[in-house]
Amino acid sequence: MGAKARFVSTFDLFFRAVAQQALDRKDGKVIDLETYIIQRRDTSGCRPCWVLIEYANGLDLPEYVMDEKEMRVMNDATNDLGSWSNVSS
């Protein structure tokens, strides 16, 4: 999967997470913290932005690089940094 496919995939995750968040809100459902953290990583919109940064810099990182544990941890950490600073109550 190249950058283009990753962009589509991350936007799909974004739309699914936002839809689930809206359903939960409508139903008055309060999710646990672990579920919220996972959901927030997709509702933040950061994942598609990382792919846009990759594209803007003329990179097309191979999937084996993106699948490395260290890369996934960095992705989650930077996502958390950005998205948690933008959480409203």
Side-chain angles (χ1 to χ4, degrees):
M1 174 183 328
K4 183 177 179 181
R6 258 194 311 282
F7 182 74
V8 170
S9 174
T10 57
F11 249 107
D12 182 56
L13 289 171
F14 169 77
F15 287 123
R16 288 174 188 265
V18 169
Q20 185 61 55
Q21 183 182 49
L23 286 172
D24 290 345
R25 189 174 292 141
K26 179 181 82 69
D27 295 340
K29 181 179 178 185
V30 177
I31 58 177
D32 61 84
L33 181 60
E34 184 177 337
T35 303
Y36 175 79
I37 291 169
I38 292 166
Q39 187 182 71
R40 182 66 182 144
R41 288 176 178 157
D42 289 326
T43 61
S44 70
C46 288
R47 293 188 200 276
C49 288
W50 304 157
V51 184
L52 287 176
I53 291 168
E54 179 183 345
Y55 175 78
N57 283 289
L59 303 172
D60 194 4
L61 299 172
E63 206 57 32
Y64 73 88
V65 171
M66 299 306 291
D67 285 340
E68 287 290 328
K69 180 183 178 196
E70 293 82 3
M71 186 64 91
R72 291 192 316 270
V73 168
M74 275 194 311
N75 187 320
D76 286 346
T78 54
N79 192 329
D80 292 347
L81 183 66
S83 62
W84 283 84
S85 66
N86 190 29
V87 172
S88 60
S89 44

